[in-house]
Amino acid sequence: MDTQRLIKEAIKIRDKAYTPYSKFNVGAALLTKDGTLYTGCNIENAAYPVTCCAERVAIFKAVSDGHYEFKELAVVADTARPVPPCGSCRQVMSEFFHPDLTIHLTNLTDTVKTVKMSELLPFSFSPDDLIRKES
């Protein structure tokens, strides 16, 4: 799948976002290594902390189907600059994405910034940090 199609899928799912409070729709399209496409949109809640971002929805859908290896992600919103993922999404992404995974951040005016996972969240907390060093 080419980058433009991945971005178009993110734009398409963005229209399904549930955002009665912020009116800030975000869409994400995630491609697994085997070519399966998962999409996600943000889903708000009146209790704001339980809102789930588009990136996490797409990742959680893929993981719940048994996919753990990913190739590429596109994220889109109606922003002046390419939309950056929030800190919570970056942490979830670092759990499941290889440091070299390609992420396309974009907006509705076709401004695209492509980064690697390692650039998005350098020095991230990882499963290795849970391993205690023997004294």
Side-chain angles (χ1 to χ4, degrees), residues 34-87:
D34 73 1
T36 304
L37 177 69
Y38 286 91
T39 58
C41 58
N42 52 324
I43 303 166
E44 293 182 345
N45 191 286
Y48 294 147
V50 296
T51 292
C52 196
C53 299
E55 300 92 315
R56 286 181 281 149
V57 170
I59 293 166
F60 295 161
K61 285 168 64 176
V63 170
S64 71
D65 276 352
H67 290 275
Y68 298 95
E69 294 185 7
F70 303 102
K71 181 177 178 185
E72 200 170 9
L73 174 73
V75 184
V76 64
D78 188 9
T79 50
R81 65 179 181 159
V83 65
C86 74

Side-chain angles (χ1 to χ4, degrees), residues 31-127:
L31 189 62
T32 67
K33 282 204 175 177
D34 73 1
T36 304
L37 177 69
Y38 286 91
T39 58
C41 58
N42 52 324
I43 303 166
E44 293 182 345
N45 191 286
Y48 294 147
V50 296
T51 292
C52 196
C53 299
E55 300 92 315
R56 286 181 281 149
V57 170
I59 293 166
F60 295 161
K61 285 168 64 176
V63 170
S64 71
D65 276 352
H67 290 275
Y68 298 95
E69 294 185 7
F70 303 102
K71 181 177 178 185
E72 200 170 9
L73 174 73
V75 184
V76 64
D78 188 9
T79 50
R81 65 179 181 159
V83 65
C86 74
S88 294
C89 285
R90 291 176 195 219
Q91 183 60 45
V92 169
M93 291 161 66
S94 76
E95 177 79 16
F96 293 102
F97 293 175
H98 186 275
D100 289 331
L101 185 128
T102 302
I103 301 165
H104 307 286
L105 310 175
T106 187
N107 59 18
L108 296 181
T109 61
D110 298 324
T111 306
V112 179
K113 179 171 179 69
T114 299
V115 298
K116 298 293 183 189
M117 183 63 226
S118 60
E119 297 172 273
L120 206 54
L121 188 62
F123 198 62
S124 64
F125 187 83
S126 75

